[in-house]
Amino acid sequence: VPTTVQRLEAAVISRGAAVVAKVDHGAAAQANGLALRPTVLVLFGNPKLGTPLMQSEQTAGLDLPLRVLVWQDAGGVTQVGYAPPSLIAARHGITDRDDVVGKMTGALKAITGEATAR
């Protein structure tokens, strides 16, 4: 998980976006005496892509910046997941930003692909 998170952050930065926050759910659980396999949420974005969605519907800010969850599954394999930008647009009734949604989708695929490349 740590290696994948590092690769993910590097892929985000190399594309001109910024890592906004990193939430280490596993460490927080452990600090409170709870067991949780490694689980890290990385929030990142580029206002040039996110802002147009919020211009269409400000409630999109509930789901932005974009986020990717990196976790270790029960079999010890590192997994990566995210909500597709099309789901974010649909959740907020955004129908006039297909170009932005497409760019976000491509960026997420490229970033997570780079992060998970062996």
Side-chain angles (χ1 to χ4, degrees):
V1 170
T3 299
T4 301
V5 168
Q6 286 176 337
R7 289 180 186 158
L8 182 73
E9 291 175 315
V12 165
I13 292 165
S14 75
R15 285 168 176 76
V19 174
V20 177
K22 185 167 50 174
V23 180
D24 190 335
H25 291 297
Q30 186 177 23
N32 285 279
L34 302 167
L36 182 65
R37 290 185 300 275
T39 307
V40 178
L41 181 68
V42 180
L43 289 83
F44 61 92
N46 179 337
K48 291 179 182 178
L49 287 179
T51 301
L53 291 183
M54 289 186 283
Q55 288 171 330
S56 292
E57 186 58 58
Q58 280 184 286
T59 60
L62 291 166
D63 292 307
L64 296 172
L66 295 174
R67 53 207 69 194
V68 172
L69 185 68
V70 182
W71 74 96
Q72 182 183 69
D73 68 16
V77 177
T78 298
Q79 302 288 337
V80 174
Y82 56 86
S86 59
L87 177 65
I88 295 169
R91 181 180 299 152
H92 299 282
I94 299 169
T95 58
D96 62 339
R97 300 291 183 171
D98 290 344
D99 58 329
V100 173
V101 171
K103 287 177 184 176
M104 285 180 161
T105 300
L108 274 167
K109 286 181 182 178
I111 288 166
T112 56
E114 191 172 319
T116 57
R118 303 242 180 237

